[in-house]
Amino acid sequence: MAEAERIIGTPDTPDAAGAGRQRPGGNAGRGGPSGAEGAQDPAGRPGTDGTAAGADGRATAAERPRGRRRIAVLFTVAVIAYALDLASKMLVVAKLEHRPPIQLIGDWLQLEAIRNAGAAFGFGEAFTVIFTVIAAAVIVVIARLARKLYSLPWAIALGLLLGGALGNLTDRLFRAPGVFEGAVVDFISPKHFAVFNLADSAIVCGGILIVLLSFRGLDPDGTVHKD
């Protein structure tokens, strides 16, 4: 019986002992590195790779212009400015041309229909074709800027410029005396000042807004720089 117990129990004892020795050692060997790796993976990957990726992601997001492009705002403002200018000129030609001026505020402000072959406010009447080309160039430049436009104030400013330029360009192309030489319809006549129209007003307001935005360091892409 003792011999049988020895034969049966002898293999189990070393195995059990070996298992007892190997499991702590094996678990320590396998579990130690695994545990270290497990400790490093949550702390290392999210803490190193993940954090770096998150930081890079945040940095990239911060560098990118925020929000959607403002192309829709630009063209909406341009369409409104152009429509108001075109409608006012049609009304002036139909109701006011070849008639006495209409006084709005005494002699200080009146409506008077005048055909202007020059630039805004009646300047440069001898350079009608040049002003027509300049207006067309302004439209092309604004269309190119629209691709990187993320700033709402810039969208409004460029929309005013675009609408005003289109309004006067329409007169240059379709009014007498001919294509590229057409006279612009002006009708707003303040006292001691040149006669102008709504397109001229839109161009001037858009230009003033662009100057203010430039002084503030705001770029069309929405970024702010400091000189």
Side-chain angles (χ1 to χ4, degrees), residues 19-116:
R21 289 192 302 270
Q22 290 177 0
R23 285 176 185 172
N27 291 340
R30 290 192 305 270
S34 298
E37 289 176 4
Q40 290 177 359
D41 287 344
R45 290 179 185 174
T48 56
D49 296 342
T51 305
D56 293 339
R58 288 191 297 270
T60 305
E63 291 173 359
R64 292 198 198 102
R66 294 182 179 181
R68 297 180 179 179
R69 291 182 180 178
R70 303 299 185 178
I71 300 177
V73 176
L74 186 155
F75 286 111
T76 300
V77 173
V79 168
I80 293 174
Y82 177 73
L84 291 175
D85 178 70
L86 184 61
S88 64
K89 288 175 179 176
M90 293 175 63
L91 185 62
V92 166
V93 171
K95 302 295 184 180
L96 189 59
E97 198 168 31
H98 307 302
R99 290 179 174 84
I102 298 176
Q103 293 183 346
L104 297 180
I105 308 177
D107 294 336
W108 292 97
L109 180 63
Q110 60 184 9
L111 301 180
E112 181 182 7
I114 293 178
R115 298 294 182 113
N116 172 25

Side-chain angles (χ1 to χ4, degrees), residues 141-163:
V141 170
I142 293 175
R144 291 178 63 88
L145 283 175
R147 296 181 299 176
K148 57 179 182 179
L149 183 63
Y150 287 87
S151 169
L152 180 59
W154 269 96
I156 295 173
L158 294 177
L160 291 172
L161 283 180
L162 181 59

